[in-house]
Amino acid sequence: GAVVSQHPSRVICKSGTSVKIECRSLDFQATTMFWYRQFPKQSLMLMATSNEGSKATYEQGVEKDKFLINHASLTLSTLTVTSAHPEDSSFYICSARALRNEQFFGPGTRLTVL
Amino acid sequence: AQSVTQLDSQVPVFEEAPVELRCNYSSSVSVYLFWYVQYPNQGLQLLLKYLSGSTLVKGINGFEAEFNKSQTSFHLRKPSVHISDTAEYFCAVSTKTNTGNQFYFGTGTSLTVIP
């Protein structure tokens, strides 16, 4: 099946710094990728839809200036958490949409903001 | 609007016993249905999916699910669970939107297999 990777898998940063998370589709092209956030013991919350070559579509309540998304190519989308705060600590998961409406998920990135 | 309900947040079951994890959805349009499994600190792995055709869907690791349109359900079943099945299970619904297919996830069911 299709493979999606995320880098880094785990990151610890100081409050106020910015962190970039990469999501790559390794063996297929994805015009659409999705970014989710998951709090402990909770479900996935869709943050934004990343479209190749155009601006991302953010869900209600998600700050677009804080969570910057860039989908520069058909295999790469990046999520940058700007001026990170401890409440941004979470598990971030990306997915890439393939044929037949199926999404393939990355392994996730654990962000801890001190 | 679409919604997905997983009625059981936690399901403990003894090893080799059968299990059913329930999932109901609400939607006014045609949907595609998925079950994913998540192990600790990992991403989601697809167990099975219903896109069309036979309503009984077989997936990996011996799991199966049945799409019941009249009851808007897509319950996940396994006849005999193993310790390694202990994980979080998410039901998801996908519908066609103007911006592409969007997934709606249930709140998850934590399956614990007791030796």
Side-chain angles (χ1 to χ4, degrees):
Chain A
V3 179
V4 176
S5 70
Q6 278 185 244
H7 179 79
S9 59
R10 189 179 294 266
V11 57
I12 301 172
C13 69
K14 293 182 179 180
S15 185
T17 61
S18 294
V19 174
K20 180 185 283 188
I21 303 170
E22 292 185 349
C23 177
R24 293 181 185 272
S25 56
L26 297 184
D27 50 4
F28 68 103
Q29 293 182 332
T31 56
T32 304
M33 292 184 174
F34 301 89
W35 286 97
Y36 295 86
R37 183 174 181 175
Q38 186 181 32
F39 291 103
K41 303 293 184 182
Q42 294 188 29
S43 187
L44 280 71
M45 181 193 77
L46 179 65
M47 298 175 65
T49 302
S50 173
N51 302 298
E52 189 269 336
S54 64
K55 291 183 178 180
T57 304
Y58 290 82
E59 295 300 301
Q60 192 173 9
V62 178
E63 298 176 60
K64 59 183 66 177
D65 294 331
K66 181 168 186 60
F67 299 99
L68 301 178
I69 292 173
N70 185 295
H71 196 149
S73 76
L74 289 172
T75 60
L76 173 64
S77 175
T78 61
L79 168 69
T80 301
V81 182
T82 62
S83 187
H85 288 279
E87 56 263 32
D88 297 326
S89 298
S90 190
F91 195 52
Y92 292 88
I93 301 176
C94 74
S95 71
R97 184 161 64 94
L99 297 175
R100 303 195 71 188
N101 311 309
E102 186 171 349
Q103 289 189 25
F104 294 93
F105 288 82
T109 296
R110 173 74 60 193
L111 170 63
T112 303
V113 184
L114 303 178
Chain B
Q2 329 302 328
S3 69
V4 181
T5 302
Q6 291 182 245
L7 295 168
D8 308 300
S9 60
Q10 296 186 22
V11 173
V13 62
F14 286 104
E15 190 176 13
E16 298 184 2
V19 70
E20 179 179 80
L21 306 183
R22 296 180 291 172
C23 174
N24 288 85
Y25 67 93
S26 65
S27 175
S28 58
V29 298
S30 296
V31 297
Y32 306 107
L33 297 155
F34 305 82
W35 274 100
Y36 289 89
V37 60
Q38 185 181 35
Y39 298 100
N41 294 311
Q42 294 187 28
L44 274 66
Q45 180 181 4
L46 180 66
L47 275 178
L48 47 79
K49 61 187 176 186
Y50 171 78
L51 302 180
S52 64
S54 173
T55 56
L56 182 62
V57 180
K58 293 189 182 297
I60 63 171
N61 301 342
F63 284 94
E64 65 179 32
E66 186 158 18
F67 170 52
N68 188 319
K69 188 175 182 179
S70 63
Q71 297 186 7
T72 61
S73 68
F74 191 55
H75 301 332
L76 181 71
R77 295 190 290 262
K78 185 170 183 177
S80 176
V81 295
H82 190 268
I83 295 291
S84 60
D85 293 324
T86 295
E88 192 80 17
Y89 291 80
F90 292 97
C91 179
V93 167
S94 171
T95 65
K96 188 83 171 179
T97 66
N98 290 332
T99 56
N101 298 92
Q102 184 169 349
F103 270 47
Y104 299 87
F105 284 89
T107 51
T109 297
S110 178
L111 174 65
T112 301
V113 180
I114 305 165

